[in-house]
Amino acid sequence: MKNILKYHPSYNKKWGLTILTGLFLFFVLYFYEGFGIEQGLSFSGHNLFIRALIFGLFTSLSFYIHEFLLSKFLVPKNNIQNVFWALLEIFMGANVTFLLFNYFWNWTEWFWNAYFLLLGEYSSVMLIPVIMVWLWGKTQRKIEAAHHMLTFKSENGKHQLKLKEENLLFIKSEDNYVEIHYLSNHKVKHELLRNTLKRIQEQNPTFHYLIKCHRSYLVNYQNIQQTQLAKSRMLLDLGHDLFIPVSPKYIESITKLTDQ
């Protein structure tokens, strides 16, 4: 059985780029009248507001296609690829804008000098919202990472262990100590702290996936691979050759969780 809970990625960055780039371009063209844009009617008969609005909408559409459609086939995997991806988005948006620009002015600007001029101006404008979204996303990732960290402390507070939620496997009671088993670089490790299972749960009250399955065990049920039930005995398979016993009184509640 696969992990019970699956990670659902956030689309905040994608929507941020899609919306902010178009809005920013509209603001620069209409309110700031950037790049000496003509304020009167274009050859196509569109006024400044309509042209700025269409430029903004088509820029948002271009970024939407990249972020939500093309990203399914081309996924940036490192910082260099992310930079290349951002430059490609800006380049494609500039080309769409160049075509619109010539449509509004009856293709009178259909030559290389005008193309490279618009490419430079458009890129200088788009770098601002792209960098803003990147910085915002970086901040959000740090906040999210902090929220998804578990902290385990000894009774006297002198020793502590911090783990990502998904790396915690189970915690076993050993007399006056608890043995915390977790993954580090895909290897199972454990840490011994002087504490009790009850206090361990109290230290991380918002982590609802740490459940009791036995008087001596707490298990992160996100990492249950499968359950093994024979007669009145149940074992939880966490992978890595780890099998955790389930007391009879917890079998029903564990079964309900793993069936979700």
Side-chain angles (χ1 to χ4, degrees), residues 129-142:
V130 168
I131 292 175
M132 287 173 61
V133 172
W134 179 79
L135 290 174
W136 175 80
K138 187 176 182 180
T139 301
Q140 289 298 111
R141 287 192 294 272
K142 288 182 178 179

Side-chain angles (χ1 to χ4, degrees), residues 1-189:
M1 182 182 67
K2 295 181 179 180
N3 286 355
I4 297 167
L5 297 182
K6 295 181 179 180
Y7 174 67
H8 297 278
S10 170
Y11 288 100
N12 289 344
K13 173 182 170 292
K14 295 177 180 290
W15 280 115
L17 280 173
T18 298
I19 296 172
L20 188 59
T21 50
L23 281 177
F24 192 77
L25 182 61
F26 171 78
F27 176 85
V28 169
L29 294 177
Y30 184 69
F31 292 101
Y32 185 68
E33 298 177 0
F35 314 121
I37 188 170
E38 292 288 340
Q39 299 180 35
L41 292 177
S42 64
F43 290 168
S44 61
H46 296 88
N47 61 29
L48 176 59
F49 176 80
I50 296 299
R51 283 184 281 127
L53 182 62
I54 292 175
F55 279 131
L57 288 174
F58 272 80
T59 283
S60 288
L61 178 61
S62 177
F63 274 84
Y64 176 87
I65 291 172
H66 277 79
E67 290 295 324
F68 289 94
L69 301 180
L70 294 183
S71 63
K72 295 179 180 179
F73 307 100
L74 300 171
V75 182
K77 297 180 179 179
N78 53 50
N79 290 332
I80 295 177
Q81 291 182 7
N82 278 319
V83 171
F84 176 79
W85 179 259
L87 293 176
L88 179 62
E89 287 184 302
I90 293 174
F91 176 73
M92 294 307 296
N95 281 276
V96 171
T97 302
F98 183 67
L99 291 174
L100 284 173
F101 177 62
N102 273 277
Y103 165 74
F104 290 133
W105 296 103
N106 199 24
W107 307 98
T108 57
E109 300 294 326
W110 190 253
F111 50 86
W112 287 111
N113 286 343
Y115 174 74
F116 288 119
L117 177 62
L118 185 142
L119 182 62
E121 292 176 339
Y122 184 90
S123 299
S124 66
V125 170
M126 285 298 101
L127 281 175
I128 296 175
V130 168
I131 292 175
M132 287 173 61
V133 172
W134 179 79
L135 290 174
W136 175 80
K138 187 176 182 180
T139 301
Q140 289 298 111
R141 287 192 294 272
K142 288 182 178 179
I143 294 174
E144 185 177 354
H147 286 169
H148 289 276
M149 293 292 288
L150 300 174
T151 301
F152 303 104
K153 298 179 180 180
S154 60
E155 284 183 335
N156 58 17
K158 292 183 178 180
H159 300 91
Q160 70 174 22
L161 173 67
K162 287 189 175 183
L163 299 172
K164 291 183 178 179
E165 291 180 356
E166 64 269 20
N167 288 341
L168 175 66
L169 294 171
F170 69 94
I171 303 172
K172 182 181 179 182
S173 177
E174 296 280 0
D175 296 325
N176 295 323
Y177 291 83
V178 292
E179 193 174 66
I180 302 171
H181 294 250
Y182 61 95
L183 291 176
S184 178
N185 295 323
H186 307 290
K187 294 182 179 180
V188 178
K189 296 186 177 182

